[in-house]
Amino acid sequence: MLRRAQRRIIVPFVLPAFALLGVFFFYPLIKTIIISTTRYSRTGRTAPAGLDNYRAVLTDGKYFETLNNSMLFAVIGGAMLFPLAIAI
């Protein structure tokens, strides 16, 4: 177990890491969740939508087709660029 003096030395080194983690990871994560569960209108008004946005996406047939195309594009693009990057 760390002594009290050792813990006081660790805190100034860990605090900036936690601050950066909060600013660049947790804040965008929370903001994304809030935005994705909100319904927006053309006039700029917002209303809570709950999980309706996710339900609408998952019941849309085009979503899975688009997801499949995106994965295919990523795999083929990576397979084409990887040998070139290794060669360079």
Side-chain angles (χ1 to χ4, degrees):
M1 182 137 164
L2 296 175
R3 290 182 302 185
R4 178 176 263 159
Q6 288 174 328
R7 277 187 260 150
R8 274 188 275 167
I9 292 172
I10 292 172
V11 170
F13 290 102
V14 175
L15 208 56
F18 282 136
L20 289 172
L21 189 66
V23 168
F24 292 108
F25 181 74
F26 291 118
Y27 174 73
L29 178 67
I30 292 168
K31 192 69 173 173
T32 300
I33 292 170
I34 291 170
I35 289 171
S36 70
T37 57
T38 304
R39 181 176 297 127
Y40 293 90
S41 69
R42 292 185 183 130
T43 60
R45 293 185 180 178
T46 62
L51 297 177
D52 290 340
N53 292 340
Y54 291 105
R55 195 174 299 118
V57 166
L58 293 175
T59 57
D60 186 15
K62 291 283 186 184
Y63 171 72
F64 291 106
E65 183 180 340
T66 304
L67 186 64
N68 186 29
N69 290 342
S70 297
M71 294 296 172
L72 189 65
F73 182 75
V75 168
I76 291 173
M80 290 172 58
L81 291 175
F82 184 71
L84 180 64
I86 294 296
I88 290 175

